[in-house]
């Protein structure tokens, strides 16, 4: 029996959440939202050692990949990877390979049951291409995922729904109530245009865990089927548990959620986990080990306050201003999520209406991020004394360390990868790349756009080369 098909008892969680089954009006959170306080995180020596073990685990995941794989995962993480090319007969060839894999592995599977029920649904080109895109045209992985998909779908919705698209009408009252909590919602897009799939753990509340699984399945599949860009670009997964956003259900169903996500044909471009309590950070040790190696290489954990976590997210193109957290209070703004729910509950929609609307804050995603106060780890571009900032010194040392390899590289692609490695190393140290600019008449620090940043690092290698040559001439 699949873990998704097990009966789950009603859980109250550590904060006494109780499902108010009579509450069905949109926007009502009686019985779903509970205020609680978070203990201050205290890093003991043992905690620091365990944190280092987690960091070592993530480093090991990167080191176990080939150089090309490692660079590819870094590009995906930062949203600078190449888009899927579906030119010529590439798709047809992949579909043929996918079919061959399925023929070999489908015997006795739920997939085979669905195929007998409605071959047209299972063999539909658009349906199969969705799995190819989600697995970046790894046909074997796509075939295995299709088997998991139908098994999961049967567990959650029954055999009669195997060859039907799941709609909002297939969710029961408790599923809808869980959907309305907003613990899972769309939070705009990152700087690369990838949808941010946000989990706010303190809003979790349900009658059974299966309510979460069913509504999560619906949300992900609705997103994939109504926005082709999501199939092509993937999503950024963000679990947010900083300060007063800690998990209301103490991690219940965590691994089952991983299993569910692995069954959905969505490409997870990156995974971020933000928290303030060391106990939750250490729980990641188990979660990381449950991830496939390549996904583990695209996982980042951020420990600290709201401000610290959101600053670190910004270095990966996920802006705090796009999260549904109100300034100063960090309470959740449910406006756009409730509008999203309302649109699906009230009327049948045309395909153009179904495409997710992420709210007007998307326009702000293209603006540079304003930063009030730089930190020592930041690389600051303004000249003068600021060039001696710790982050600038770190960058110069990195350029010096990589310069020989960079100069010996025979292709622009190889040099580009080295540039991204330098950028990633600065990000890993907690640094950002900042310009001082005048915005609305005031001098502020803003993040350097990605394209401009690549040119700046490339120029840094050129400057270092000239400096080395100049030093050699003086000695001669």
């Amino acid at each position: 029996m699949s873990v998704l098909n097990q009966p789950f008892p009603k859980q109250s969680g550590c904060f006494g959440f109780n499902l108010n089954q009579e509450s069905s009006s949109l926007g009502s959170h009686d019985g779903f939202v509970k205020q609680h306080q978070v203990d201050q995180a205290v890093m003991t020596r043992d905690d620091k050692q365990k944190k280092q073990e987690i960091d070592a685990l993530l480093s090991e995941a990167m080191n176990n990949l080939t150089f090309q794989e490692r660079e590819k995962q870094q590009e995906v993480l930062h949203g600078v990877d190449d888009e899927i090319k579906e030119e010529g007969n590439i798709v047809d060839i992949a579909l043929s390979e996918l079919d061959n894999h399925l023929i070999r592995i489908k015997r006795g599977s739920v997939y085979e049951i669905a195929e007998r029920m409605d071959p047209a649904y299972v063999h539909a080109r658009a349906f199969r291409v969705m799995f190819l895109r989600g697995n970046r045209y790894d046909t074997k992985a796509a075939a295995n995922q299709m088997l998991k998909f139908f098994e999961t779908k049967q567990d959650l919705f029954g055999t009669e729904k195997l060859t039907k698209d799941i709609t909002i009408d297939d969710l029961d009252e408790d599923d809808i109530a869980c959907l309305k909590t907003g613990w899972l919602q769309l939070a705009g897009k990152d700087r690369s245009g990838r949808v941010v799939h946000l989990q706010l753990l303190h809003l979790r509340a349900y009658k059974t865990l299966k309510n979460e699984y069913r509504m999560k399945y619906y949300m992900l599949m609705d997103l994939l089927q109504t926005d082709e860009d999501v199939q092509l670009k993937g999503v950024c997964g963000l679990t947010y548990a900083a300060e007063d956003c800690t998990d209301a259900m103490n991690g219940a169903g965590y691994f089952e959620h991983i299993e569910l996500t692995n069954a959905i044909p969505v490409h997870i471009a990156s995974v971020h986990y933000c928290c303030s309590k060391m106990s939750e950070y250490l729980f990641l040790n188990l979660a990381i080990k449950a991830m496939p190696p390549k996904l583990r290489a695209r996982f980042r954990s951020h420990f600290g306050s709201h401000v610290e976590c959101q600053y670190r997210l910004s270095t990966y193109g996920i802006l705090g201003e796009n999260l549904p957290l109100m300034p100063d209070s960090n309470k959740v703004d449910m406006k756009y999520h409730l509008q999203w729910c309302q649109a699906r509950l009230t009327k049948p929609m045309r395909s153009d209406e179904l495409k997710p609307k992420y709210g007007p804050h998307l326009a702000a995603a293209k603006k540079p991020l304003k930063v009030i106060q730089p930190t020592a780890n930041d690389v600051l571009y303004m000249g003068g004394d600021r060039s001696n900032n710790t982050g600038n010194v770190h960058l110069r040392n990195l350029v010096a360390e990589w310069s020989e390899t960079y100069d010996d590289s025979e292709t622009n692609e190889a040099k580009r990868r080295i540039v991204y490695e330098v950028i990633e190393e600065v990000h890993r140290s907690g640094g950002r790349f900042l310009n001082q600019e005048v915005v609305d008449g005031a001098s502020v620090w803003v993040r350097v756009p990605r394209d401009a940043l690549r040119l700046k690092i490339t120029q840094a290698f050129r400057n270092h080369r000239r400096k080395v040559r100049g030093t050699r001439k003086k000695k001669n």
Side-chain angles (χ1 to χ4, degrees), residues 65-79:
L65 301 176
T66 66
F67 177 79
Q68 290 78 10
E69 288 176 332
R70 187 163 60 248
E71 293 304 310
K72 178 62 176 176
Q73 299 311 315
Q74 289 299 314
E75 291 175 0
V76 173
L77 178 66
H78 289 282

Side-chain angles (χ1 to χ4, degrees), residues 26-301:
L26 195 62
S28 173
H29 288 267
D30 292 341
F32 280 86
V33 178
K34 183 78 172 178
Q35 297 294 328
H36 60 86
Q37 291 195 333
V38 178
D39 297 331
Q40 293 296 321
V42 179
M43 291 277 284
T44 65
R45 179 179 298 179
D46 187 51
D47 288 339
K48 291 179 181 179
Q49 181 178 352
K50 290 179 179 178
K51 181 181 181 299
Q52 290 174 351
E53 292 174 1
I54 294 174
D55 294 337
L57 188 61
L58 293 174
S59 297
E60 182 183 359
M62 292 293 290
N63 294 333
N64 287 339
L65 301 176
T66 66
F67 177 79
Q68 290 78 10
E69 288 176 332
R70 187 163 60 248
E71 293 304 310
K72 178 62 176 176
Q73 299 311 315
Q74 289 299 314
E75 291 175 0
V76 173
L77 178 66
H78 289 282
V80 294
D81 55 317
D82 296 329
E83 293 185 2
I84 294 178
K85 292 182 175 61
E86 297 180 332
E87 302 169 346
N89 61 349
I90 290 177
V91 178
D92 292 329
I93 294 173
L95 286 170
S96 178
E97 292 178 1
L98 174 63
D99 191 52
N100 290 334
H101 285 306
L102 287 167
I103 289 173
R104 288 195 291 268
I105 66 175
K106 70 180 182 179
R107 179 173 296 181
S109 67
V110 180
Y111 168 90
E112 196 172 38
I113 295 174
E115 191 176 40
R116 288 197 298 265
M117 290 173 60
D118 189 350
Y121 180 90
V122 176
H123 295 164
R125 182 184 179 91
F127 180 70
R128 293 195 166 205
V129 166
M130 188 163 56
F131 284 87
L132 290 174
R133 289 170 172 171
N135 289 277
R136 287 330 190 224
Y137 278 80
D138 182 335
T139 54
K140 185 176 181 180
N144 290 327
Q145 189 181 56
M146 286 190 77
L147 265 62
K148 292 179 184 177
F149 173 83
F150 281 105
E151 180 183 350
T152 300
K153 191 174 184 181
Q154 182 188 55
D155 287 344
L156 294 179
F157 299 99
T159 303
E160 66 279 6
K161 295 291 184 181
L162 278 177
T163 56
K164 305 291 183 184
D165 288 339
I166 300 302
T167 69
I168 195 82
D169 294 330
D170 294 308
L171 303 184
D172 63 26
E173 182 179 295
D174 296 327
D175 299 334
I176 297 294
C178 187
L179 181 68
K180 292 177 184 176
T181 64
W183 83 273
L184 191 63
Q185 54 182 285
L186 309 178
K189 297 182 179 180
D190 69 359
R191 286 188 181 275
S192 300
R194 301 177 299 198
V195 171
V196 177
H197 196 250
L198 173 66
Q199 295 185 153
L200 293 167
L201 299 186
H202 68 302
L203 297 183
R204 292 183 69 193
Y206 47 76
K207 186 175 182 180
T208 72
L209 273 166
K210 208 162 188 176
N211 300 136
E212 281 194 344
Y213 304 148
R214 285 163 57 93
M215 57 79 59
K216 183 175 185 177
Y217 174 99
Y218 166 72
M219 280 195 71
L220 286 174
M221 290 304 297
D222 177 79
L223 184 61
L224 284 168
Q225 292 170 331
T226 58
D227 193 343
E228 191 176 27
D229 279 349
V230 174
Q231 296 182 27
L232 295 170
K233 295 181 179 179
V235 302
C236 296
L238 170 57
T239 299
Y240 198 86
E243 295 189 24
D244 53 348
C245 295
T246 52
D247 191 353
M249 294 300 177
N250 290 329
Y254 188 86
F255 295 103
E256 290 81 0
H257 273 293
I258 293 177
E259 180 180 341
L260 171 59
T261 303
N262 289 339
I264 304 295
V266 59
H267 173 60
I268 308 298
S270 63
V271 179
H272 297 268
Y273 190 99
C274 299
C275 66
S276 302
K277 297 183 71 173
M278 200 60 205
S279 58
E280 294 192 16
Y281 191 90
L282 298 179
F283 175 73
L284 293 176
N285 197 341
L286 294 174
I288 292 168
K289 290 178 179 178
M291 296 178 182
K294 289 185 179 180
L295 180 57
R296 195 182 302 173
R298 302 194 300 273
F299 175 87
R300 292 294 180 269
S301 56

Side-chain angles (χ1 to χ4, degrees), residues 406 409-418:
Y406 181 88
S409 298
E410 297 179 355
T411 65
N412 290 333
E413 176 66 19
K415 290 183 177 181
R416 184 166 67 96
R417 288 172 178 168
I418 293 173

Side-chain angles (χ1 to χ4, degrees), residues 10-18 248-249:
K10 181 175 179 178
Q11 301 195 24
S12 60
C14 59
F15 303 112
F17 275 81
N18 288 307
M249 294 300 177

